[in-house]
Amino acid sequence: YEASDHEMGGIGAPKSFWTKVTTDTSILDHLLQLYFAWIHPIHTLFSEARFSDSYGRQNETYCSSVLVDSVCALACSLHTAVYGEEGIYERLGARFSDAARKALEPDDSRLTTIQAFAVMHLVDCAHGNALRAVAYLKVATLGLPRAVYQENEGFVESWKATFGGIRNLNVLVKISFC
């Protein structure tokens, strides 16, 4: 797999800071690379550069545990199993999904939580759970106007990326219902 434009590592921060599902940094790096290679170019729901910087610095400005768990849950469905791995990533994806669902709070108006709701929409679409997927998208859509404004560089850029991505997901739902 080729590296992303914005590598997740490099700062030396332990990746397990972001999730309790696994402490295996090679799995986390692999899943994030899958997400940024296959999902992010089509469904850009946040700034990859801002996410990567916050991820590496263990800074919650543009990254959060619930967003990492959501992204990894979706990426698990993209992993192609090799001999001996059958079912491992499917179970891992279920654990990431469960962790994200437990952490998601509809009243949380942080941008990363709104982004995680949008990613969970894609997770449930990938698994054929259209009704729950639409519910996640509705929460993300309604959360955008309530997003807590942050006085820092990149917030407007990140909010616009999230707004555009969620708008596009809403259009797709109207066209095809997931």
Side-chain angles (χ1 to χ4, degrees), residues 13-175:
K15 288 17 169 236
S16 61
F17 172 84
W18 293 110
T19 184
K20 302 216 181 311
V21 174
T22 183
T23 58
D24 188 331
T25 58
S26 65
I27 289 175
L28 290 172
D29 287 343
H30 172 64
L31 293 174
L32 292 171
Q33 287 175 2
L34 284 173
Y35 180 86
F36 285 115
W38 295 102
I39 301 298
H40 190 73
I42 298 164
H43 299 292
T44 305
L45 297 167
F46 51 88
S47 165
E48 179 181 355
R50 302 275 179 210
F51 173 89
S52 299
D53 183 60
S54 287
Y55 181 90
R57 296 179 188 279
Q58 295 182 358
N59 175 308
E60 293 188 342
T61 305
Y62 297 109
C63 186
S64 67
S65 292
V66 70
L67 183 55
V68 169
D69 284 335
S70 300
V71 164
C72 288
L74 185 55
C76 280
S77 65
L78 300 170
H79 176 79
T80 303
V82 295
Y83 182 75
E85 281 187 343
E86 295 83 5
I88 292 173
Y89 278 83
E90 187 176 319
R91 289 188 299 276
L92 194 58
R95 289 178 49 213
F96 278 117
S97 292
D98 289 344
R101 284 188 187 94
K102 287 177 186 171
L104 281 170
E105 294 288 334
D107 295 331
D108 185 345
S109 53
R110 289 178 295 168
L111 190 58
T112 56
T113 301
I114 294 165
Q115 294 162 343
F117 271 104
V119 174
M120 288 304 291
H121 164 78
L122 294 172
V123 170
D124 277 339
C125 283
H127 292 103
N129 300 320
L131 290 177
R132 187 168 56 194
V134 171
Y136 282 132
L137 184 57
K138 184 174 183 175
V139 172
T141 303
L142 295 174
L144 273 172
R146 298 181 323 210
V148 176
Y149 181 78
Q150 298 174 15
E151 292 284 338
N152 56 47
E153 183 182 337
F155 179 80
V156 172
E157 166 200 357
S158 294
W159 188 90
K160 285 180 179 179
T162 303
F163 177 83
I166 290 174
R167 181 190 61 215
N168 291 342
L169 289 176
N170 275 295
V171 168
L172 288 173
V173 166
K174 286 182 186 345
I175 293 171

